[in-house]
Amino acid sequence: MPEPDLPDAAARELYRAILAEGGRIRLSDIRSEDESTVRQLADLGLLVLRTADGTYSAVNPRAVGERIGADLREESARLLARAAAVPDLLDDLTQAYDTAPRRADPVGGVRRVVGMVEIRHLISQLVKDYPHEAFAAQPGPRPHAHMRDSLDQSRRYVEAGGVVHTLFEPSACSDRRTVEYALHSTQAGAPIRLLEGPFIRTLIFDRTVSVIPATPDHTVAAVVEDAAMVAYLVGVFEQQWQQAQVVDWESLAAGSAPIAHEQVGRLLARGLTQRAIATRMGLSERTVAGHIARLREVYDAETLFQLGWQMRGARTGESGG
């Protein structure tokens, strides 16, 4: 119900003039320029036509206001009832929207998605739209709060026939919950490998669309759908996957941690210092020192120089054989 038109300035002035004349005005006394104003007052109920004596009589505005208020309240109640029913009436369309594949029309092959909630919703939708192959490069720590959902999502993807490959940083080995996550993911058929050196966060689905950070805090994502750009990102990931290290997550989860031990040895053989190794692997220098101490026992080396020399020689012999 539209809001009722209340008397304008001219109507209010005429209503007061009629009250001043005793609350009545004869039809014969209405000037031609006042006819529309009288009709407005009559339509609102502020004037009532008395056909017996051919006059308009003024009506108490309080009664008119109560009537209009009651009409508005009644209409409001009807509108509220209709509003409450809208979600149920559109429920089937909402379900259809959530399950339907969507293809946005990107500008220049790249579009932006802002906000962590929106990004997570986007990724969930891409998982449904592109169910065959998913590549994920995930540097940095994994948020524990989302691990269970991510694991369930990977399991469903693999069970439906999809392939999932994921890259973590070596520092993942120092977080027990991440190690357990990687173990369960790998056991479910979604293997996780470790990649040395810096790499960017990347998600690629069916070699068709990729999601990469657009801001350092990862609160804005760039969705790349340009074929050439996605092909380049796929090539980078596949090269990184071949370079990455296969991990015995089961042994690592059990506490034997052979991967960290071997990783320290490999970096030491390449000439990195203890501090550089700690920074690269996301470990404390004390932890790295412990690994080095065990390596010195294995190789019977008195100094780090001797250890590095002997390990390089051992690795050369291995590769030569």
Side-chain angles (χ1 to χ4, degrees), residues 32-320:
S32 58
E33 60 267 28
D34 291 334
E35 289 179 355
S36 62
T37 305
V38 170
R39 284 197 299 272
Q40 179 187 8
L41 292 171
D43 290 340
L44 286 170
L46 289 170
L47 291 180
V48 175
L49 177 62
R50 298 181 181 277
T51 56
D53 55 6
T55 63
Y56 275 105
S57 296
V59 176
N60 187 341
R62 185 176 293 105
V64 174
E66 290 176 354
R67 175 180 55 79
I68 293 175
D71 290 344
L72 288 174
R73 286 190 293 273
E74 183 179 351
E75 183 63 21
S76 296
R78 286 196 294 269
L79 289 175
L80 286 173
R82 291 180 59 189
V86 167
D88 290 337
L89 294 174
L90 295 179
D91 182 64
D92 60 326
L93 299 183
T94 302
Q95 292 183 21
Y97 176 88
D98 289 340
T99 58
R102 290 188 291 280
R103 300 289 189 272
D105 295 326
V107 178
V110 179
R111 56 191 172 95
R112 291 160 61 92
V113 177
V114 181
M116 297 304 297
V117 173
E118 289 75 10
I119 293 172
R120 284 195 291 270
H121 177 75
L122 164 73
I123 293 172
S124 297
Q125 189 64 44
L126 291 176
V127 168
K128 299 175 183 177
D129 293 348
Y130 301 94
H132 306 297
E133 199 171 31
F135 300 150
Q138 302 281 0
R142 295 284 301 169
H144 294 165
H146 303 299
M147 282 185 175
R148 181 180 294 275
D149 290 341
S150 297
L151 183 60
D152 289 342
Q153 194 173 70
S154 295
R155 283 173 173 161
R156 289 194 297 270
Y157 200 89
V158 172
E159 289 171 358
V163 174
V164 181
H165 288 167
T166 303
L167 294 172
F168 280 177
E169 287 181 341
S171 59
C173 296
S174 61
D175 181 71
R176 183 163 189 81
R177 292 186 65 178
T178 301
V179 170
E180 292 175 351
Y181 168 86
L183 169 62
H184 295 315
S185 178
T186 301
Q187 289 175 338
I192 295 176
R193 295 183 179 181
L194 296 183
L195 179 66
E196 293 181 33
F199 58 96
I200 66 169
R201 185 177 299 272
T202 309
L203 289 173
I204 305 172
F205 295 94
D206 283 4
R207 302 171 183 258
T208 302
V209 58
S210 177
V211 181
I212 59 177
T215 55
D217 61 1
H218 298 162
T219 58
V220 181
V223 183
V224 182
E225 295 176 293
D226 178 81
M229 296 176 67
V230 174
Y232 170 78
L233 293 172
V234 169
V236 170
F237 182 89
E238 289 183 329
Q239 184 179 25
Q240 292 174 332
W241 182 256
Q242 294 302 319
Q243 295 172 347
Q245 184 173 2
V246 178
V247 181
D248 183 355
W249 294 109
E250 187 172 2
S251 296
L252 195 60
S256 56
I259 185 63
H261 187 67
E262 295 172 6
Q263 186 77 7
V264 169
R266 184 166 59 255
L267 295 177
L268 191 64
R270 288 169 52 185
L272 273 69
T273 65
Q274 177 175 308
R275 175 171 295 181
I277 294 172
T279 301
R280 175 72 66 86
M281 296 186 64
L283 303 174
S284 68
E285 288 192 52
R286 173 178 289 186
T287 300
V288 173
H291 287 298
I292 292 175
R294 287 192 291 274
L295 288 168
R296 287 173 62 179
E297 292 177 3
V298 171
Y299 287 90
D300 193 23
E302 296 182 1
T303 66
L304 287 180
F305 178 80
Q306 289 178 348
L307 177 59
W309 179 270
Q310 291 174 217
M311 292 185 67
R312 281 192 290 273
R315 292 182 184 279
T316 301
E318 290 172 2
S319 61

